[in-house]
Amino acid sequence: MNSKRTAALTQQLVYIGPALLFFGITIIIPFVMGMYYSFTNWNGVSGNVEWVGLDNFKQIFTNDSAFAQSFWFTTRFTIVGVLLTNVVGFFLAYFLTKNIRARNWLRTIFFMPNVIGGLLLGFIWQFIFVKGFATVGEVTGIPFFNLPWLGDEVTGFWGIVMVFVWQSSGYLMVIYIASITNVSKEVMEAAEIDGANRFQVLKSIIVPLIMPAVTVCLFLAISWSFKMFDLNLSLTKGGPYRSTESLAMNVYNEAFLNNRYGLGTAKSLIFFLVVAVITLIQVRLTKQKEVEA
Amino acid sequence: MRTKKPPMSASHIVLQIVMVVVALIFLAPFYFLLVNSVKSLGDIMVDAANWPTAFHFDNYSKAWEMTRFPEAFTNSIIITVISNLIIALLSAMAAYRMVRSNTRFNRIVFMLFVSAMVIPFQSIMIPLLQVINFLGVNNSIVGLILSYLGLGIPLSVFLFHGFVKGIPLEIEEAATVDGASPFKVFARIVLPMLKPMMVTVIILNCLWVWNDYLLPSLILQSPELRTIPLATFAFFGQYSKQWDMALPALVLGITPIIIFFLSLQKYIVEGVAAGSVKG
């Protein structure tokens, strides 16, 4: 009996031990430490850590216009980014499941931007915005290309949105394709026989049946856009005048540029709570819309 | 997929044309990147859209040397391969044990892993650096890999967990009756059956680790430890207006992952689909 328990314990240790150990070191411990630091005035360098209670949070909510601005920027970016990536991703998938040629090639092309990291993508697009758009604008005379891309708040915002959509919609497309292919041909044919037009099939049959994929894609798009950092860094660095600074970048700057680690961890804690709440609400809401085929 | 192609209707032909145009728009940035990477700076400034009048392939040899590309490439490979192998193995083991021994403790651990998936990296990065410093592995590849292990394990365990649940117990029981030890059962029987999910987990983690910028930028300070994103960032900061240097460096930077993608695209696309639908 006893040896059996020892054996079970050994197995538990061998199988779960290492995973739990690394998880503890890199996530649990820092997370708990972060909660502690968010109530201190730690500057990251000196050993001098003073408990300041809720001061950091008070400062963030009442006296930090940059944080408020980055929050607003991130919120707008998330709304626009999530909508556009999902609409583009869905329609690419919808059309690629139709009877057209070279579907695999097209799928490969639409997915490709996604395998390149946000940092390099952002640099590539910096060139496109600065030189490529200018040249196209000269040749065609279309005013859209002659805007001061990335140079002011509006073009900075839409520039990041554009690259984000270009990067992410292919990923969501792959998920939507898998889901649309699973909608049974019989259901769709039955609807067509009953006289439903394409739009009705799309609205009343395909969309309800792929709601599980919608849940996943919204979840992914929300967490990508809310946590967006690399694209921000490589496209605008938050400028001009911090007008395109994302929340993630605001947290980063507070800690590593201003050396206010205590304040930075407080911001990161708020950041975590917002991400957690938004994604939980979203998953709950869209799960309700899922139906059985 | 399908063997014979029925003739296309008029609306499908329009759709076909639209999709090809959209695909070309998707590819346009790559055209600008490639074409201008072999021009002289003067030519780029004059006309960024045209085909090069003269090919300056020496742009590439300069970028190759100045980004110290071979070194960055080696660092990226070492970090990606080692973290991936360890994450995949440890996550498979943990997920297997959690499914087969459904104790309260294991259920709590699993819940912790799942909840941790919502924590944004920025929320833990500041104290994580403290931990890394405390362990004495700051500014080292070991410290970086160690961080990737903990950060990568939750999602990987989650994916394996769903997969192991679908594996019937009978095979393992038969092997146990035949006298195989539990570890042998896992290594010889369970692990091979996990292969499809293993591919998914490794692909998702490869894309993440290879492209990651923020974490390595915080942990690795020495120039000789730079990964490809770090080397590109440093180089781009210095030569951001010198496009004849910056563009070939960017092409070099994206080439390995593009080759990886094009040669394994079937698995990557399937892996992405399989890795997400489970959510």
Side-chain angles (χ1 to χ4, degrees):
Chain A
M1 196 64 214
N2 218 347
S3 72
K4 210 173 171 185
R5 279 188 67 179
T6 330
L9 196 65
T10 319
Q11 281 196 50
Q12 181 79 8
L13 266 177
V14 172
Y15 282 101
I16 300 188
L20 200 54
L21 176 74
F22 292 121
F23 177 68
I25 290 176
T26 54
I27 297 187
I28 300 285
I29 293 177
F31 190 71
V32 175
M33 280 168 74
M35 283 202 262
Y36 164 70
Y37 281 132
S38 66
F39 296 100
T40 69
N41 66 356
W42 180 44
N43 67 7
V45 187
S46 73
N48 190 8
V49 179
E50 237 174 85
W51 183 267
V52 294
L54 289 170
D55 280 7
N56 289 331
F57 295 94
K58 225 181 277 168
Q59 161 138 17
I60 292 166
F61 286 118
T62 58
N63 188 21
D64 192 336
S65 59
F67 184 78
Q69 189 170 12
S70 71
F71 201 99
W72 176 227
F73 171 82
T74 308
T75 309
R76 282 182 301 152
F77 177 78
T78 304
I79 294 171
V80 177
V82 168
L83 279 178
L84 286 179
T85 45
N86 275 281
V87 168
V88 174
F90 173 78
F91 278 102
L92 290 178
Y94 177 64
F95 293 133
L96 285 187
T97 47
K98 298 252 172 227
N99 175 31
I100 59 170
R101 306 276 149 85
R103 281 184 299 193
N104 286 345
W105 275 102
L106 292 167
R107 192 185 62 177
T108 303
I109 291 170
F110 295 137
F111 187 82
M112 192 158 67
N114 206 276
V115 300
I116 307 169
L119 189 85
L120 272 70
L121 271 188
F123 285 150
I124 294 173
W125 272 87
Q126 215 186 88
F127 177 72
I128 308 292
F129 281 129
V130 174
K131 283 306 300 171
F133 272 28
T135 313
V136 176
E138 264 169 49
V139 176
T140 61
I142 302 172
F144 173 83
F145 292 106
N146 287 323
L147 294 172
W149 282 99
L150 305 183
D152 58 29
E153 184 187 346
V154 178
T155 55
F157 176 82
W158 288 102
I160 302 175
V161 168
M162 213 185 290
V163 182
F164 180 72
V165 173
W166 184 72
Q167 176 190 28
S168 317
S169 45
Y171 197 98
L172 303 185
M173 172 198 72
V174 165
I175 300 169
Y176 281 128
I177 288 182
S179 185
I180 293 176
T181 338
N182 275 335
V183 175
S184 89
K185 286 268 177 318
E186 285 127 49
V187 180
M188 293 214 262
E189 274 162 20
E192 271 161 34
I193 291 168
D194 289 346
N197 63 30
R198 265 181 226 145
F199 177 72
Q200 284 168 324
V201 172
L202 180 66
K203 181 176 152 271
S204 311
I205 303 210
I206 298 181
V207 172
L209 285 179
I210 63 158
M211 278 316 279
V214 176
T215 305
V216 175
C217 287
L218 284 179
F219 175 83
L220 287 173
I222 291 176
S223 62
W224 290 335
S225 47
F226 217 84
K227 297 191 253 184
M228 189 255 311
F229 179 85
D230 289 11
L231 277 184
N232 202 186
L233 180 70
S234 53
L235 281 171
T236 66
K237 280 197 172 155
Y241 308 109
R242 307 185 82 170
S243 60
T244 60
E245 186 176 85
S246 67
L247 261 183
M249 184 172 268
N250 186 277
V251 171
Y252 176 90
N253 288 344
E254 196 64 73
F256 300 115
L257 289 185
N258 302 344
N259 282 326
R260 289 190 289 213
Y261 281 59
L263 198 56
T265 48
K267 286 183 172 185
S268 71
L269 196 64
I270 297 172
F271 186 45
F272 158 70
L273 287 174
V274 173
V275 171
V277 168
I278 291 180
T279 44
L280 285 179
I281 292 175
Q282 176 263 318
V283 169
R284 185 145 294 181
L285 281 181
T286 41
K287 279 252 184 223
Q288 285 170 356
K289 294 229 158 60
E290 290 178 15
V291 292
E292 293 286 322
Chain B
M1 274 197 203
R2 71 182 62 189
T3 42
K4 77 168 194 279
K5 287 177 178 161
M8 290 167 126
S9 65
S11 67
H12 275 127
I13 292 174
V14 174
L15 181 61
Q16 178 86 63
I17 295 168
V18 171
M19 290 311 269
V20 170
V21 170
V22 176
L24 289 177
I25 295 173
F26 258 73
L27 287 177
F30 294 110
Y31 167 80
F32 278 100
L33 174 67
L34 285 174
V35 162
N36 289 297
S37 70
V38 288
K39 288 182 189 170
S40 68
L41 187 59
D43 282 356
I44 299 175
M45 291 326 230
V46 172
D47 187 349
N50 260 353
W51 195 252
T53 44
F55 287 84
H56 292 266
F57 288 110
D58 54 319
N59 287 356
Y60 277 88
S61 48
K62 277 188 229 154
W64 176 279
E65 271 166 40
M66 293 176 71
T67 53
R68 295 156 74 168
F69 186 77
E71 193 178 74
F73 179 77
T74 315
N75 289 334
S76 278
I77 288 279
I78 292 175
I79 291 162
T80 309
V81 170
I82 296 182
S83 4
N84 259 287
L85 290 179
I86 305 180
I87 291 175
L89 182 67
L90 294 187
S91 309
M93 286 165 61
Y96 169 69
R97 176 72 189 171
M98 285 177 189
V99 174
R100 291 294 182 246
S101 156
N102 191 15
T103 60
R104 180 204 282 257
F105 177 81
N106 284 348
R107 280 198 299 272
I108 293 175
V109 173
F110 183 64
M111 275 307 294
L112 273 179
F113 281 169
V114 174
S115 328
M117 283 163 24
V118 251
I119 301 180
F121 172 69
Q122 283 85 1
S123 293
I124 50 168
M125 66 181 174
I126 303 166
L128 173 63
L129 291 185
Q130 287 292 104
V131 174
I132 293 295
N133 270 328
F134 174 79
L135 295 174
V137 285
N138 187 24
N139 194 20
S140 78
I141 285 183
V142 175
L144 183 60
I145 292 177
L146 182 74
S147 312
Y148 278 132
L149 297 186
L151 294 168
I153 279 174
L155 175 68
S156 310
V157 167
F158 175 72
L159 291 172
F160 279 123
H161 194 271
F163 193 83
V164 173
K165 276 198 271 185
I167 297 180
L169 248 178
E170 286 80 20
I171 311 172
E172 291 160 47
E173 281 169 348
T176 315
V177 171
D178 289 349
S181 74
F183 297 109
K184 214 170 195 170
V185 170
F186 176 76
R188 295 279 166 78
I189 295 169
V190 179
L191 212 47
M193 285 195 289
L194 291 179
K195 207 174 126 199
M197 193 41 86
M198 192 68 91
V199 173
T200 298
V201 165
I202 288 182
I203 280 171
L204 290 179
N205 287 332
C206 267
L207 293 178
W208 161 54
V209 172
W210 183 271
N211 288 323
D212 192 26
Y213 166 75
L214 185 51
L215 177 61
S217 80
L218 296 174
I219 292 185
L220 306 175
Q221 287 94 34
S222 308
E224 68 271 14
L225 296 178
R226 279 180 189 151
T227 61
I228 289 182
L230 292 187
T232 314
F233 183 82
F235 187 73
F236 203 85
Q238 267 177 303
Y239 298 95
S240 59
K241 290 292 166 281
Q242 266 180 280
W243 294 111
D244 57 328
M245 305 286 270
L247 295 181
L250 288 174
V251 176
L252 289 177
I254 65 171
T255 302
I257 195 78
I258 295 278
I259 293 176
F260 175 78
F261 168 61
L262 290 179
S263 47
L264 293 175
Q265 55 149 316
K266 185 172 154 271
Y267 298 98
I268 292 176
V269 169
E270 279 168 12
V272 163
S276 329
V277 175
K278 295 270 161 15

